[in-house]
Every structure is written in structure tokens, then in C-alpha cells.
Amino acid sequence: MRLYAEDPAEDFRPSTGPLRQFHLPAPAADLRIESGVVQGDAITPFYDPMIAKLVAWGPDRPAALARLGAALAECRIAGIASNLGFLGRLVGHPAMLAAELDTGFALRHAAVLQPPRAAAPPLALAAAALEALLPPEAAPENPWDRRDGWRLQGAGSRLVVLAEGEALHRLRLVPAGAGWTGDLELAGRRLADGILQVVLEGVAHRVPVLRDGSAVQVSLPSGAWTLRLVDPHAPVGGEVAAQGRLAAPIPGRVVQMLVAVGEAVSRGQVLAVLEAMKTELRITAPADGVVAHVGCAAGDSVEEGAELITLVAAG
């Protein structure tokens, strides 16, 4: 199996950035691991997005696939998108076990291999909340760093607000003994290598969690979710993105610019084509509108986040 820095939910679009967490299982007699990167390395747009290969052996096909599935379950990747979850579903698919394979396999079984993104389960929310509640790793002994909610009169509480796309999860938590109560019965501590011990409703779990600024990535056997910590006291509307601004999703080269200023476009229309990591990415219109600005031309190299096109509402 080839482990790639790509996002299956975005038509397998390559992903770039630092490998903030990267763990592979140990090689064994029945498992070969090949990789040229380590945790902390950057996945750049200048090379193929493959980051590792896992090869398993077994006395028959089901046994080999089961060994491969167990190895994939040990992998941890954070900081970039990857096809890890896709591969995990692939090795357990009945058609894969039966070797009923052809070039249309992924599309034919897309409903199973790429199911719609499920909402973050309670354990993911609990892990993200715990990341916000626990003191930083190796925090100095400082009374201002205490997060136990102590108050001179009455019990204090913490409001943890987690953004999941457009949805907001508001969790009111009150310190209780070694943990918290309220919207969740929660306790836990930090373990090594970015793992949190999360005790939710009395059941302990080991959960890989990566915090990058306000973003918290939580990895569970059922999938990975990125939740954003929102300051409940921040002014409303302070983070509204500019409407109609289409930016480069990753660094690359503009192969085609298919529109000009003043041109009317329709939702889903391809406006530009970007090439990166041996892949062509189609930049499409998110809604009907008119091209107000074109920020680059065919042949230009652009960085991630660079403005490509700006649309305004028609009329």
C-alpha cells in the first residue's frame, strides 16, 4: 500500500506542509516499511506526494490484508491530509479480499471507500476540549497557568467552544476532583508523543492529538477530525473571510487561466488549472458570479494562499 500526502475527499488533491506527527509501525518478518521522510520533514510541491510504502505478507490473501490493516491502524499522520483512512477502508473491503480489482474499483465502491464526512463524535470533541483544558506540556510552575477553575467564592467553570466547519460546539465544564463535569464527564492527562489519555464517561481512551495554533487535529480509528478552538469572548464576525476570493490550495504553477475580468461564470465552471506534484487541480466557481479580478496568468508560479481570481455577484 502506498501512503500518500493527498486528500481523497478533494479528488485526491495533493497536500503540502510539515509532518507534525508521523509514526509508522516497526518492520517485521511479515511487514516491510519503506519511507524517506521523518516527523518534522516538509512535504513540498516539488516531488511526488508518496511518503511511505507498506508491504505485508501472509499465507493467503485475507491474512496478508489483515496484517496490512493492522499496520495501517498503527500509523499516525498529522499536519497534512493523507489517504490513510481511505487505505484502511480499502484493505477491509470484501471486493478487495476477493481480488475483484480493475481501474474502476475506487469509483464503483466510492460510497464505502469515501463516505460522507461524519460529524465529530463525542470522543473527538472530548479530546479537543481536554487539549484546551490541560496545561501545556512541560508547563512551568506558575499560578497564572493553573487551569483548575479555582475561584475565591463558588466553583468556576470553563466554556470551551469548538468550531467544526460552520457548526459550533459549546461545552460548559466545571472542575470536579481530578477532572471536569457538566456537558461532558471528562478527565485525562498528557502521555508521550502527542497522545492524550481521555477518560470520557468513565472509559479511558488513548487519542493522538495535535494542536497547531487554534486548530486541534484528533485521530480516532473511525477517522480524523480537525476542530478549531474559538475564543468565546472574541468579537463576532472578526474572522469572516472575503467573499468570492479563490486562492491557490497548494503551491504550484498555473497551467491555464480560462476566464478574464468581466466574464460571467456559473457555479462549478472550471476557471483555472493549477499543476502541482504531478497533479492538475481544477479551480472551479463556488457560485454564479462575475470575474472582478484575475491575480495571475498561465505560466506563473504561485504560493499556497495566493489570490487567483475574485468573483462578485452578478448584477
Side-chain angles (χ1 to χ4, degrees):
M1 285 290 172
R2 298 187 177 207
L3 197 54
Y4 267 70
E6 62 185 11
D7 189 351
E10 295 291 337
D11 198 23
F12 295 91
R13 184 179 74 190
S15 177
T16 61
L19 279 166
R20 300 192 182 279
Q21 281 187 351
F22 184 54
H23 171 79
L24 296 173
D30 57 355
L31 181 68
R32 188 172 82 240
I33 304 291
E34 300 176 5
S35 181
V37 295
V38 297
Q39 184 168 304
D41 283 351
I43 304 300
T44 72
F46 307 112
Y47 303 99
D48 187 278
M50 185 173 68
I51 54 180
K53 284 198 295 186
L54 288 75
V55 183
W57 179 90
D60 53 33
R61 183 179 181 84
L65 285 172
R67 180 66 180 97
L68 195 53
L72 290 168
E74 292 186 52
C75 295
R76 294 202 307 272
I77 300 175
I80 60 167
S82 78
N83 65 343
L84 179 59
F86 176 87
L87 294 180
R89 292 185 289 272
L90 176 64
V91 296
H93 196 283
M96 183 72 173
L97 290 169
E100 298 170 352
L101 307 174
D102 55 58
T103 55
F105 184 93
L107 286 177
R108 189 166 60 254
H109 300 291
V112 174
L113 299 178
Q114 300 185 68
R117 169 64 67 179
L123 181 56
L125 299 178
L130 189 63
E131 171 62 35
L133 293 167
L134 290 175
E137 195 170 4
E141 292 295 332
N142 186 327
W144 300 109
D145 288 329
R146 290 180 60 176
R147 303 190 181 190
D148 55 7
W150 182 86
R151 296 292 187 276
L152 182 61
Q153 295 180 339
S157 66
R158 284 285 301 274
L159 175 62
V160 179
V161 182
L162 301 169
E164 182 185 6
E166 298 298 320
L168 287 180
H169 304 277
R170 304 172 68 87
L171 304 173
R172 176 69 68 178
L173 299 166
V174 180
W180 292 265
T181 187
D183 291 330
L184 295 174
E185 296 294 328
L186 179 62
R189 60 192 178 95
R190 295 189 187 279
L191 304 177
D193 300 324
I195 305 296
L196 292 185
Q197 182 189 59
V198 183
V199 182
L200 177 62
E201 311 298 339
V203 180
H205 308 265
R206 292 170 59 91
V207 182
V209 174
L210 172 70
R211 183 167 178 176
D212 186 9
S214 64
V216 180
Q217 181 173 324
V218 179
S219 299
L220 301 176
S222 56
W225 287 265
T226 297
L227 300 154
R228 185 168 52 86
L229 293 169
V230 178
D231 181 355
H233 306 296
V236 177
E239 299 181 353
V240 177
Q243 297 296 314
R245 180 180 180 273
L246 302 181
I250 60 174
R253 183 177 65 88
V254 179
V255 178
Q256 291 179 291
M257 179 56 66
L258 302 174
V259 293
V261 172
E263 185 174 340
V265 299
S266 57
R267 183 172 184 262
Q269 179 179 337
V270 179
L271 310 182
V273 179
L274 193 67
E275 181 183 55
M277 303 168 79
K278 301 181 181 179
T279 303
E280 288 194 348
L281 310 177
R282 297 176 298 172
I283 308 301
T284 60
D288 296 349
V290 176
V291 178
H293 177 72
V294 174
C296 56
D300 288 353
S301 294
V302 294
E303 295 297 322
E304 181 178 354
E307 182 178 350
L308 302 178
I309 299 164
T310 300
L311 301 178
V312 295

